[in-house]
Amino acid sequence: MIDGYSRLNDIEVSDNRDKQFINYAYKQGFNEFQSIFMYFFNSYSNDSVLSTSEMRSLCNNKDFKLWKQYINKYENQLLTSDSAKYRLQKAKAIAGNDKQQLLNALTLIVITATSLVTSNYLQGSMAKEYKDTFNYKSLLSIKAGYKTSSEITDSDLKQEAGNLINGKYYGLTADQHIWLRSDELNGQVQSAINAALTKGADQKYMDNKLFNYIPSNRNQSANTSFTKTGNTISNVLVPDQKARMESGATDKVFSNYGVDTFDYATQGDGKVCDPCIDRANNSPWTYATDEGSLHTGDRCYRIPVKSKY
């Protein structure tokens, strides 16, 4: 039997795992971009400065070998997603002319691969949240004296979770939110590349700007762009999407068990806002009186009130 404490602990562990995975993915993405940029710096810098003039020269066999290496590494993976495939084709279209276009194409491939890994992970995390919530709220409903009107199979759960995952949130699916941020990240990193090459990237510039974490400047720091994108996804998008799954699974359980009256509970971790505390204190609620989510990132959850029958 899962008690409230252990369920909250499971949620905390899951949230921390999400943050670690996604932030690590974007850290790895940045490291790979840095390695690519350093290839061009080490190969073509003039007096230890890499600028637009060097990068506008035509690609050679060594450059094409690097391109082929990345295509071999990522192409099969990127072809599994229409969104990733579209960006792969875009990268192929701009590669092969001069060195800067090749750098831009390789950067796009790395960002696309990072985004695909993140999107796949997010959808798996959302599906797990739905199933875990459904099982936990079912146990709570049974303990409160409710009886199910029908049996829900694992196949049913998977389909219901899939419907929610593919549903739109602020006009976009979870997958589309990831790709929107992917394109924003690519634009920011391309701006950082252009700024570096226009200025002339020496070791000092790379250490202090392009590769350095500068919280207030994404257009010169690729590190900042990768890091903040990962942080936004792990701290905002993922919790919002998982909260949506938790709410959807709760509605499914309450409908199946005939639960209409419920208490609101907060996470109780010192991060709860006053309106959420007031709502919990004013429990119980019914579907007729419930206001639903109070704000973006609302982490409150509903607990069935003991049946009168």
Side-chain angles (χ1 to χ4, degrees), residues 91-150:
K92 287 182 175 181
I94 63 175
N97 294 320
D98 61 36
K99 290 175 171 47
Q100 184 166 353
Q101 288 179 317
L102 179 60
L103 170 59
N104 293 342
L106 290 169
T107 299
L108 177 55
I109 285 180
V110 168
I111 290 174
T112 300
T114 302
S115 302
L116 179 59
V117 166
T118 303
S119 179
N120 290 341
Y121 178 87
L122 173 57
Q123 292 182 56
S125 184
M126 291 171 68
K128 184 176 185 303
E129 182 70 21
Y130 187 93
K131 184 175 182 179
D132 289 348
T133 298
F134 183 91
N135 291 337
Y136 176 56
K137 296 299 178 71
S138 294
L139 289 173
L140 291 181
S141 298
I142 293 170
K143 288 180 68 175
Y146 294 92
K147 295 182 179 180
T148 180
S149 59
S150 62

Side-chain angles (χ1 to χ4, degrees), residues 28-308:
Q28 290 296 100
F30 166 70
N31 289 342
E32 196 153 18
F33 161 76
Q34 184 177 22
S35 175
I36 292 169
F37 192 91
M38 288 306 300
Y39 160 83
F40 288 99
F41 180 85
N42 291 330
S43 300
Y44 305 113
S45 61
N46 184 15
D47 291 332
S48 299
V49 176
L50 184 67
S51 64
T52 303
S53 59
E54 290 84 33
M55 294 296 286
R56 286 304 183 189
S57 60
L58 294 177
C59 296
N60 56 37
N61 289 336
K62 183 181 176 183
D63 301 330
F64 288 127
K65 183 177 180 181
L66 178 67
W67 169 253
K68 185 175 181 180
Q69 174 187 328
Y70 273 83
I71 289 296
N72 290 340
K73 181 177 180 180
Y74 287 118
E75 185 170 36
N76 288 341
Q77 175 187 350
L78 300 184
L79 290 176
T80 62
S81 159
D82 288 341
S83 297
K85 180 180 178 181
Y86 166 77
R87 288 159 179 83
L88 172 63
Q89 292 171 338
K90 185 176 179 181
K92 287 182 175 181
I94 63 175
N97 294 320
D98 61 36
K99 290 175 171 47
Q100 184 166 353
Q101 288 179 317
L102 179 60
L103 170 59
N104 293 342
L106 290 169
T107 299
L108 177 55
I109 285 180
V110 168
I111 290 174
T112 300
T114 302
S115 302
L116 179 59
V117 166
T118 303
S119 179
N120 290 341
Y121 178 87
L122 173 57
Q123 292 182 56
S125 184
M126 291 171 68
K128 184 176 185 303
E129 182 70 21
Y130 187 93
K131 184 175 182 179
D132 289 348
T133 298
F134 183 91
N135 291 337
Y136 176 56
K137 296 299 178 71
S138 294
L139 289 173
L140 291 181
S141 298
I142 293 170
K143 288 180 68 175
Y146 294 92
K147 295 182 179 180
T148 180
S149 59
S150 62
E151 291 298 326
I152 305 296
T153 66
D154 285 342
S155 178
D156 293 331
L157 286 180
K158 186 175 181 179
Q159 181 175 348
E160 292 288 342
N163 290 340
L164 271 179
I165 290 171
N166 294 321
K168 292 188 175 182
Y169 177 75
Y170 285 100
L172 299 173
T173 65
D175 183 61
Q176 289 169 338
H177 277 287
I178 295 293
W179 291 111
L180 175 64
R181 284 160 177 79
S182 178
D183 292 338
E184 290 174 349
L185 173 59
N186 186 60
Q188 291 163 2
V189 176
Q190 300 295 350
S191 294
I193 291 172
N194 291 336
L197 297 179
T198 300
K199 175 70 175 178
D202 56 12
Q203 193 62 52
K204 182 178 179 180
Y205 185 95
M206 291 185 292
D207 290 343
N208 292 339
K209 291 189 176 180
L210 184 61
F211 300 153
N212 191 24
Y213 179 74
I214 310 171
S216 60
N217 195 338
R218 296 191 186 199
N219 290 330
Q220 288 184 316
S221 169
N223 189 349
T224 301
S225 297
F226 274 95
T227 301
K228 285 200 168 185
T229 299
N231 286 342
T232 298
I233 292 172
S234 63
N235 293 324
V236 180
L237 179 61
V238 174
D240 282 354
Q241 294 291 344
K242 289 176 70 174
R244 190 164 64 88
M245 301 302 286
E246 196 277 344
S247 180
T250 299
D251 286 337
K252 183 68 176 178
V253 171
F254 285 4
S255 173
N256 194 42
Y257 282 87
V259 177
D260 183 64
T261 306
F262 45 85
D263 290 337
Y264 263 101
T266 70
Q267 296 289 337
D269 57 4
K271 301 177 183 179
V272 183
C273 65
D274 290 340
C276 285
I277 293 174
D278 290 340
R279 179 175 60 181
N281 290 339
N282 289 325
S283 294
W285 297 81
T286 67
Y287 275 100
T289 60
D290 182 25
E291 299 172 304
S293 178
L294 294 181
H295 55 79
T296 300
D298 189 346
R299 302 172 303 145
C300 297
Y301 57 98
R302 291 166 286 165
I303 299 174
V305 171
K306 190 172 182 179
S307 174
K308 298 178 181 179

